[in-house]
Amino acid sequence: MSQRKMLRFSAGVLLLLLPWFGGLVCGKLAGKNFSDCKKFFYKKTPPTGFPDPNHHLQPICQFYNKDFRFATLYNRANRAPLYSAYILRGQGQPPGRETWYYEPQLANSKDKQYMKPFPVDDQNVRESQAMDEDYTAAPLHTRGHLNAAGHQNTVDDVEATFTLTNIVPQRLGSNNVVWGGLENEVLGRLAHCTGEMYVITGVMPYENGQHMINNRVVVPEYMWSAYCCPSYNPNLPELQRQFFPTHAAVGRNDPDSNNEIVTKDPNAPENRRGYDVKQMDLKELEGILRKRFNTEITLFEGLCK
């Protein structure tokens, strides 16, 4: 066989084999180690310690318009993410319309790697993840971004945050008022970073029992977030020094939760009451996560130092 024919034959065999390796060759699903999108983690090291005894946690490298935009650890059983990790870029313009997306490879690992817009009529998709209708059927809960749309500054990066694999059921008073205020505060601290600011935002389940919307999507009891800014202005104002190189926060997502983690302010305005956010250092947050998940958890390698 001539060299040209051999090359043509080899290329044909490769094309025939590619569909068999859909999740590995072009897959948005990221095995166990976020291999395609480690750049969104400090020192390319994802958090460690989150338990997965039933193998429900699925890393996703969120892919939109020819590029990876952020990383998500998705809980298939809960039909909601455990956390999303991203680089805070700045504040961009929100999209003029809200197009919500789903992840086709959660239903079929050989499907395309990029997120697809709703609507979709596919039972495999319905079983594998949250649907648009789950949130429209939940008047007390909003679609809470983990990778905040307001923390991205390009059209494509903002648009990519509107996948339901980045969304959790979040109460209105938390999402639009108190937690939204925290996101704006963190955005303001970006001005003091002289390099990348790595953010991880996630959720904590209820300690006992499950709360769900539409009997399908698990509602978190708390939101949490932490950032790592290893390179920052050495001449920070005194009041800002406590926030670098890392800082963290936990927010209530249930006004009826007890005061063990975040104390409820009984004198807060009605639209904020019960959705308090407590800011803290990174070690305190990791201690709270350790107690709730009953295991040692590390969010940033070497405490971002």
Side-chain angles (χ1 to χ4, degrees), residues 58-290:
Q58 174 64 64
I60 300 175
C61 291
Q62 302 280 12
F63 191 87
Y64 178 77
N65 198 11
K66 302 179 181 179
D67 203 1
F68 294 106
R69 304 293 170 175
F70 61 102
T72 295
L73 186 61
Y74 192 78
N75 190 321
R76 288 175 176 268
N78 292 357
R79 296 189 178 95
L82 180 61
Y83 67 72
S84 284
Y86 59 97
I87 296 173
L88 199 160
R89 303 293 189 186
Q91 189 169 27
Q93 292 295 320
R97 57 181 175 80
E98 283 190 356
T99 300
W100 292 98
Y101 298 89
Y102 67 95
E103 170 49 65
Q105 288 194 342
L106 282 174
N108 180 359
S109 64
K110 296 177 183 178
D111 208 327
K112 300 296 185 182
Q113 65 176 331
Y114 47 81
M115 57 186 70
K116 294 181 179 179
F118 286 103
V120 58
D121 184 15
D122 186 322
Q123 188 61 28
N124 290 331
V125 173
R126 181 180 301 278
E127 292 302 319
S128 69
Q129 58 201 281
M131 301 288 287
D132 199 34
E133 65 201 47
D134 291 323
Y135 285 89
T136 57
L140 296 180
H141 293 84
T142 63
R143 304 175 198 227
H145 285 68
L146 297 189
N147 175 4
H151 282 182
Q152 303 300 328
N153 66 353
T154 72
V155 171
D156 285 344
D157 284 335
V158 170
E159 187 75 12
T161 68
F162 285 83
T163 169
L164 291 190
T165 52
N166 179 51
I167 298 298
V168 298
Q170 189 174 8
R171 294 291 289 265
L172 180 65
S174 169
N175 193 5
N176 291 8
V177 185
V178 187
W179 193 256
L182 173 74
E183 290 174 344
N184 289 334
E185 192 171 335
V186 171
L187 180 63
R189 293 174 194 163
L190 178 63
H192 300 295
C193 282
T194 57
E196 305 281 31
M197 179 184 272
Y198 300 90
V199 181
I200 303 174
T201 299
V203 298
M204 275 187 277
Y206 282 82
E207 199 162 22
N208 298 300
Q210 281 189 338
H211 296 232
M212 292 190 288
I213 59 170
N214 205 26
N215 292 317
R216 284 175 29 89
V217 183
V218 173
V219 178
E221 185 175 15
Y222 293 96
M223 311 285 293
W224 59 265
S225 186
Y227 63 79
C228 163
C229 171
S231 178
Y232 57 94
N233 178 7
N235 300 313
L236 282 171
E238 183 69 29
L239 292 176
Q240 292 292 325
R241 290 178 188 173
Q242 63 179 313
F243 301 123
F244 294 90
T246 65
H247 208 61
V250 175
R252 300 167 61 103
N253 192 41
D254 185 340
D256 297 320
S257 292
N258 62 38
N259 291 324
E260 182 181 358
I261 295 178
V262 180
T263 301
K264 178 179 178 179
D265 180 3
N267 300 315
E270 187 174 352
N271 67 332
R272 303 170 62 93
R273 195 172 304 151
Y275 302 110
D276 306 76
V277 170
K278 179 183 179 183
Q279 297 198 47
M280 61 192 67
D281 63 34
L282 179 62
K283 285 186 177 180
E284 183 176 355
L285 172 59
E286 289 183 341
I288 291 170
L289 294 175
R290 178 175 62 248

